[in-house]
Amino acid sequence: MNISFDINGRRCEVDVDPLDRLLDVLRRDLGLTGTKEGCGEGECGACTVLVDGDPVNACLVPVAQIAGRAVVTVEGVAADGVLADVQRALIDHGAAQCGICTPGIVLCAIAALDREPGASRARIRELLAGNLCRCTGYQRIVDAVADAQARRRGR
């Protein structure tokens, strides 16, 4: 079945089984390997992508549900080689180690800051609660997202 959708601002069409997971289509058919598979059960958030601006676990979404919609992966957040503010802040705070969770955290944080630009640190923790990190712990990640938030506000 041919399914078309926007991926990182470009229209694409894939010929796939409509029940294929979005995660598999991104990685296998479109070569977008930045989206990682962690648990494969929607528990860890490693495969988070944005669908029409909302964070979703790509491992749980049949690609047929994406027809006509807009998907953003981690490959789509940097513009002209310039990292997104959240990506820069994660690096600055040493909040990315093995990298499995990082793409999902980046996309979840971008959605969180877009929706709630005045979120408290406690609220940032809640908004990122669906993303598990086994390397850095969460303090550096929350510090990084709060820093990105401050940068957006112009401090």
Side-chain angles (χ1 to χ4, degrees), residues 20 38 43 62 71 78 133-134 137:
D20 281 351
E43 296 292 328
V71 177
C133 173
R134 294 174 177 85

Side-chain angles (χ1 to χ4, degrees), residues 6 20 29 64 72 82 86 97 109 113 124 146 155:
D6 289 342
D20 281 351
D29 298 293
V72 175
V82 177
V86 171
Q97 288 190 7
L113 294 181
I124 289 170
R155 294 200 186 229

Side-chain angles (χ1 to χ4, degrees), residues 2-23:
N2 284 333
I3 297 173
S4 64
F5 56 96
D6 289 342
I7 182 74
N8 297 330
R10 295 184 326 215
R11 193 68 158 169
C12 77
E13 185 171 316
V14 290
D15 184 16
V16 295
D17 183 320
L19 295 179
D20 281 351
R21 301 180 313 168
L22 174 59
L23 174 63

Side-chain angles (χ1 to χ4, degrees), residues 54-152:
D54 296 325
V56 301
N57 293 318
C59 70
L60 298 179
V61 178
V63 71
Q65 290 183 3
I66 301 302
R69 300 176 79 181
V71 177
V72 175
T73 68
V74 73
E75 289 92 344
V77 299
D80 298 325
V82 177
L83 296 177
D85 54 357
V86 171
Q87 291 173 305
R88 171 55 43 209
L90 287 167
I91 292 169
D92 291 348
H93 288 269
Q97 288 190 7
C98 83
I100 296 296
C101 69
T102 304
I105 288 171
V106 166
L107 291 163
C108 200
I110 287 171
L113 294 181
D114 286 348
R115 286 188 184 148
E116 297 188 36
S120 67
R121 283 180 169 267
R123 182 65 180 141
I124 289 170
R125 283 184 179 275
E126 288 176 15
L127 293 168
L128 299 178
N131 296 83
L132 302 179
C133 173
R134 294 174 177 85
C135 298
T136 65
Y138 300 99
Q139 189 59 46
R140 289 180 181 189
I141 294 169
V142 172
D143 289 348
V145 175
D147 186 36
Q149 179 187 52
R151 290 179 191 186
R152 285 184 180 192

Side-chain angles (χ1 to χ4, degrees), residues 24-68:
D24 297 326
V25 172
L26 292 172
R27 292 181 60 84
R28 179 192 67 220
D29 298 293
L30 298 177
L32 297 170
T33 57
T35 304
K36 306 299 185 201
E37 179 162 13
C39 66
E41 298 176 350
E43 296 292 328
C44 72
C47 64
T48 301
V49 297
L50 301 180
V51 176
D52 295 336
D54 296 325
V56 301
N57 293 318
C59 70
L60 298 179
V61 178
V63 71
Q65 290 183 3
I66 301 302

